[in-house]
Amino acid sequence: MNVSSVMATASQGTTGATATAPTKGLGKDDFLKLLAAQLENQDPLSPMSNTDFIAQMAQFSALEQMNNLNDSFNRVQQELQAAMTLQAVSLIGKEVTAKVNDQTLQGTVEKVNLNGDGAMLTVNGQQVPLSAVTEVGPAAPAGR
């Protein structure tokens, strides 16, 4: 059976009234539709072998697990971003030492900027990435 007949059969059940946004690739729903169409349109005199069916089910299971893993990684990434934000904000007013471009910078964290690259601290008017901080100390005395 060729793929174009499966795709045509899978799309027969939909109406042309609504347009869908293009996706990145085939998802689990698309895989199930293709598998159902393949089963519906198989030659009764030469049905799909058990090994082929089991292989396709294993592929579906692997796809499902990859999607679950991707969701888990996204949640972990969001939690790490939130933890990094909290860590950066907790440094406001603290004395830090940072290594930036082979130079050591020491001063009080004045503010924190959050962008796509992570947290940037403002120390003595200079932007310092959070990852460049090598030492953190208590806030400087007020009369300093």
Side-chain angles (χ1 to χ4, degrees), residues 8 12-13 19 21 29-30 40 49 55-56 60-61 63 74 84 89 99-101 103 107 131-134 137 141 143:
Q12 283 176 353
D29 293 335
D30 299 318
E40 287 176 6
S49 73
Q56 287 186 355
F60 176 71
S61 177
L63 173 67
N74 286 337
M84 186 180 71
V89 169
K99 187 102 170 166
V100 181
N101 298 330
Q103 294 180 358
S131 60
V133 174
T134 58

Side-chain angles (χ1 to χ4, degrees), residues 20-135:
T20 58
T23 59
K24 294 179 187 175
L26 293 176
K28 64 182 178 181
D29 293 335
D30 299 318
F31 186 88
L32 283 176
K33 286 179 187 176
L34 285 171
L35 183 60
Q38 184 178 6
L39 289 173
E40 287 176 6
N41 295 302
Q42 69 181 339
D43 182 2
L45 299 176
S46 176
M48 181 189 311
S49 73
N50 289 339
T51 55
D52 290 341
F53 186 74
I54 290 171
Q56 287 186 355
M57 291 307 293
Q59 288 174 341
F60 176 71
S61 177
L63 173 67
E64 181 70 22
Q65 291 303 315
M66 284 189 287
N67 282 336
N68 292 343
L69 225 101
N70 190 37
D71 291 344
S72 295
F73 282 140
N74 286 337
R75 282 193 304 275
V76 167
Q77 180 184 15
Q78 289 171 352
E79 289 177 17
L80 285 173
Q81 183 71 30
M84 186 180 71
T85 299
L86 287 173
Q87 182 183 20
V89 169
S90 72
L91 294 177
I92 294 175
K94 301 270 176 99
E95 286 289 315
V96 296
T97 303
K99 187 102 170 166
V100 181
N101 298 330
D102 294 330
Q103 294 180 358
T104 302
L105 175 66
Q106 191 171 10
T108 304
V109 177
E110 300 158 4
K111 67 179 181 177
V112 175
N113 295 322
L114 303 173
N115 58 31
D117 296 333
M120 296 294 283
L121 311 175
T122 302
V123 179
N124 297 338
Q126 288 187 299
Q127 293 290 308
V128 176
L130 178 61
S131 60
V133 174
T134 58
E135 189 175 312

